[in-house]
Amino acid sequence: MKVRDPRRTPAAAWPAVIAALLLGGFAVVLGQHAAAELGWIGADSWLRTAFASLDDAQPSVWVLIAGIAAALIGLWFLIAAFLPARRSHLPADGPGDLWVSPRVVEALASDAAGRAPGVLHAHSELRRRRLKVKALLAPGNEAAVADIMEAVGDRLDGLAELEVAVQAKEASR
Amino acid sequence: MRRPVADRPASAVIGLLLLAAGAAVIDWRFDLAGVWNRIETDEVNTTVEADWFAWAALAAAVVLAVLALWWLIARLPRPTEGRVALAATGSDRIDLDVRSVAPRLRTDLERNAPVDRVTSRRFEIRGGQLVSLHAHVDPRADGASLINAANAITESVATAFPDGEVTVRVIVDGPKRAKARRTPRVH
């Protein structure tokens, strides 16, 4: 049967935790109001104090700061609620249910490029479907670019359909 | 950590409420839309001072506290049931504890694939369980060896459980960073 792809943590995960805590906080405020009004505690109701301040011509600085913070947090919650959870791994070919992370592709490509003849150092970076291999070549090894392409292609064969670009720089003598 | 389905809709609703509250305060201070001037604070104060409001606030506090608690607890991981029922004939029934299968799959993967530090997790899926094997790749590996190992392990599980009571997934992550050397490398 079809099982869901491996995904990153959804953007809504942390807003949901904070929203749950905010709900809890609001429940405390309402509970304190009820307790104060029903005479269970001796303190004044926080809610009544807050509503009494609505008659002021302007909000206090702290209320304004809290309002701006609420608007920004609300915007963050709203955006996060609609962001899809991105796929965390790439599916490999074959009947096996194999998934590899972008870091695997980068590590294998860097190692393959680094072992190509004439390469002193190599580093890879995967962005979406584009693999960029940066290589430092030994002096007089301009032809190593083709070897790098071949080595990287062979090493990643079957793992993912990628567009490979090699950026080579010759080391100074 | 589990992801409750309520996360997205509830975050959107609470986000909208926060945005509205923030916008109201900003309008109160800067009088941008003039909405604040139209609010009748007398009616608000009368409502808050009414006898029934304290009881309504108490009921709302209980409901919101329960909701908040449920929402937080719903994301705590739950232990997955270990047993799956294999195909039965007549009154006989065989249950398999999948927890006994996972170590063998981990060992097989570690032995056959260029990976290390294999761990496993189990998920309940319709009709059985999915054993998800997580491993870290050896950077000297190649794609073909990873694919062959994953195919072999999938095939062995499919042979053992032809009705799909247990399925396996292999997830490979980047190499673990080597620990810092105590002595510098000498070339």
Side-chain angles (χ1 to χ4, degrees):
Chain A
M1 76 159 273
K2 180 79 178 163
V3 185
R4 199 167 183 267
D5 301 346
R7 303 252 165 199
R8 287 179 200 277
T9 305
W14 276 109
V17 174
I18 297 168
L21 293 174
L22 283 176
L23 272 189
F26 194 50
V28 169
V29 171
L30 287 175
Q32 196 271 347
H33 173 77
E37 292 294 302
L38 296 171
W40 297 345
I41 56 171
D44 289 338
S45 160
W46 300 334
L47 200 65
R48 195 187 271 264
T49 312
F51 279 127
S53 67
L54 294 181
D55 290 326
D56 297 347
Q58 282 193 342
S60 66
V61 175
W62 289 112
V63 172
L64 183 63
I65 290 172
I68 292 171
L72 292 176
I73 293 172
L75 201 62
W76 171 40
F77 281 19
L78 212 52
I79 293 170
F82 290 98
L83 284 180
R86 285 173 57 197
R87 199 188 254 182
S88 59
H89 292 72
L90 306 168
D93 293 344
D97 195 6
L98 173 65
W99 297 80
V100 292
S101 74
R103 285 267 295 115
V104 170
V105 175
E106 288 172 357
L108 266 53
S110 296
D111 188 73
R115 288 171 192 273
V119 178
L120 299 176
H121 176 75
H123 175 76
S124 305
E125 202 178 303
L126 181 65
R127 292 230 173 129
R128 294 185 184 276
R129 291 275 167 179
R130 186 178 167 84
L131 179 69
K132 191 173 180 180
V133 183
K134 288 181 182 174
L136 182 66
L137 306 181
N141 277 283
E142 296 86 357
V145 172
D147 293 335
I148 294 172
M149 291 285 277
E150 192 181 339
V152 171
D154 287 348
R155 187 72 80 88
L156 298 180
D157 187 33
L159 275 191
E161 287 292 322
L162 299 169
E163 182 189 334
V164 182
V166 177
Q167 186 181 347
K169 187 179 165 188
E170 198 172 324
S172 52
R173 287 173 199 271
Chain B
M1 203 160 77
R2 290 159 62 226
R3 317 263 172 241
V5 283
D7 275 8
R8 285 174 189 278
S11 295
V13 169
I14 291 173
L16 269 177
L17 290 175
L18 283 173
L19 200 57
V25 171
I26 291 166
D27 185 58
W28 184 11
R29 170 65 181 81
F30 297 106
D31 197 18
L32 299 173
V35 176
W36 195 263
N37 296 330
R38 294 197 291 273
I39 294 178
E40 293 291 337
T41 53
D42 290 345
E43 283 182 21
V44 175
N45 286 329
T46 311
T47 309
V48 172
E49 284 166 13
D51 289 340
W52 61 265
F53 188 82
W55 291 104
L58 186 64
V62 171
V63 171
L64 288 182
V66 169
L67 267 180
L69 213 57
W70 168 81
W71 202 4
L72 287 173
I73 290 172
R75 65 191 58 251
L76 296 179
R78 256 195 317 217
T80 309
E81 171 68 29
R83 286 179 300 177
V84 291
L86 300 181
T89 53
S91 59
D92 296 332
R93 175 187 153 146
I94 303 171
D95 281 352
L96 171 84
D97 191 345
V98 184
R99 285 175 295 190
S100 62
V101 178
R104 175 64 191 271
L105 295 177
R106 287 201 301 266
T107 311
D108 278 0
L109 183 67
E110 198 149 4
R111 191 181 299 144
N112 298 327
V115 295
D116 56 11
R117 297 168 204 246
V118 183
T119 56
S120 63
R121 291 169 69 188
R122 288 175 296 110
F123 300 97
E124 281 180 31
I125 55 172
R126 200 178 302 162
Q129 287 199 15
L130 170 75
V131 179
S132 182
L133 300 172
H134 294 250
H136 291 276
V137 76
D138 180 339
R140 293 163 297 182
D142 59 1
S145 56
L146 286 172
I147 291 169
N148 290 340
N151 289 350
I153 210 161
T154 305
E155 202 177 309
S156 68
V157 171
T159 307
F161 305 100
D163 293 329
E165 299 93 343
V166 179
T167 49
V168 65
R169 163 174 283 179
V170 181
I171 295 181
V172 184
D173 287 312
K176 273 272 183 194
R177 252 174 236 270
K179 285 184 181 167
R181 287 169 183 275
R182 289 186 181 175
T183 51
R185 189 197 292 261
V186 178
H187 290 280

